């Protein structure tokens, strides 16, 4: 399982989540070239260890455990994974 970043991140890209992730699986980081052009941040499902530390950091409640992603944002599950392919 993994956590998923959904629509509220678009145009927000706060990055507080990036700073608390123990396995550096949220990208792009501010120091990466892709940050400027990215519409949102993404979680690498293959690296995420499901710790949940990122969830309370998000000011717009954009991060959900896989099973709790709201119905209208289920497409973000693939969107997060695809960013890392
Ligand atoms: Fe990183 Fe933990 Fe959030 Fe997964 S749940 S993205 S490991 S902070």
């Amino acid at each position: 399982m993994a956590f998923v970043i959904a629509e509220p991140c678009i145009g927000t890209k706060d990055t507080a989540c990036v700073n608390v992730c123990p396995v550096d699986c949220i990208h792009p980081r501010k120091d990466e070239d892709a940050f400027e052009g990215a519409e949102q941040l993404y979680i690498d499902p293959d690296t995420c260890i499901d710790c949940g530390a990122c969830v309370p950091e998000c000011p717009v409640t954009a991060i959900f455990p896989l099973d709790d992603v709201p119905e209208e944002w289920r497409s973000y599950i693939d969107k997060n994974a695809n960013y890392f392919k």
Side-chain angles (χ1 to χ4, degrees):
M1 217 179 87
F3 279 61
V4 175
I5 303 180
E7 189 178 59
C9 186
I10 294 178
T12 304
K13 296 195 296 184
D14 180 81
T15 74
C17 58
V18 174
N19 298 332
V20 299
C21 180
V23 293
D24 189 28
C25 69
I26 308 176
H27 295 272
R29 294 190 313 255
K30 270 184 179 162
D31 62 358
E32 293 174 325
D33 289 343
F35 183 80
E36 211 51 51
E39 114 180 300
Q40 66 165 92
L41 305 181
Y42 306 94
I43 292 172
D44 181 353
D46 293 334
T47 309
C48 175
I49 56 169
D50 242 351
C51 72
C54 52
V55 174
E57 297 300 317
C58 181
V60 292
T61 318
I63 311 176
F64 301 88
L66 186 61
D67 291 344
D68 294 339
V69 177
E71 196 54 45
E72 69 268 34
W73 293 335
R74 300 294 291 180
S75 63
Y76 284 80
I77 296 170
D78 281 348
K79 215 175 158 187
N80 278 245
N82 289 339
Y83 180 78
F84 298 93
K85 285 184 180 152

